[in-house]
Amino acid sequence: VRDCGNLLTRAGMKLPAVDVDTLTMQYPNPMKLVEHLRQMAEQNAAVARRKGPIRRTTAIAAAACYQSMFCVDTFDTFGDETEKQKKQKKQ
């Protein structure tokens, strides 16, 4: 944030003000998270990333960790229903 303010000052603005908002995003599964990252063009944001695609076993392990740590059973940020809610509606 400070760097943005410095750039605005160098561009000739007098006393620029920068606001910061913190948002907490929740996703029903890791695939929705990856979809959102791709929409923001942030899927390869890591500086020290491996070249090439990740291994299938790595993706499956990461998905399992995400499900156990961050899974939510409500509507996600885009208004889509979770798989659990869709199954309950069918019954």
Side-chain angles (χ1 to χ4, degrees), residues 54-86:
I54 63 171
R55 294 185 191 111
R56 180 181 297 255
T57 55
T58 304
I60 291 170
C65 288
Y66 183 91
Q67 285 289 101
S68 68
M69 295 172 69
F70 303 110
C71 184
V72 293
D73 289 329
T74 58
F75 289 94
D76 68 352
T77 326
F78 302 109
D80 297 333
E81 291 178 309
T82 63
E83 294 301 317
K84 185 176 181 180
Q85 289 171 330
K86 288 178 186 177

Side-chain angles (χ1 to χ4, degrees), residues 1-8 17-21:
V1 174
R2 185 177 297 158
D3 291 339
C4 290
N6 291 339
L7 287 173
L8 291 172
V18 180
D19 256 350
V20 176
D21 290 328

Side-chain angles (χ1 to χ4, degrees), residues 36-46:
H36 193 197
L37 289 172
R38 285 184 176 151
Q39 290 172 350
M40 296 185 300
E42 292 291 336
Q43 68 269 21
N44 284 327

Side-chain angles (χ1 to χ4, degrees), residues 16-34:
V18 180
D19 256 350
V20 176
D21 290 328
T22 302
L23 299 175
T24 302
M25 306 292 288
Q26 295 180 327
Y27 300 93
N29 58 54
M31 297 314 296
K32 283 287 187 185
L33 169 62
V34 171

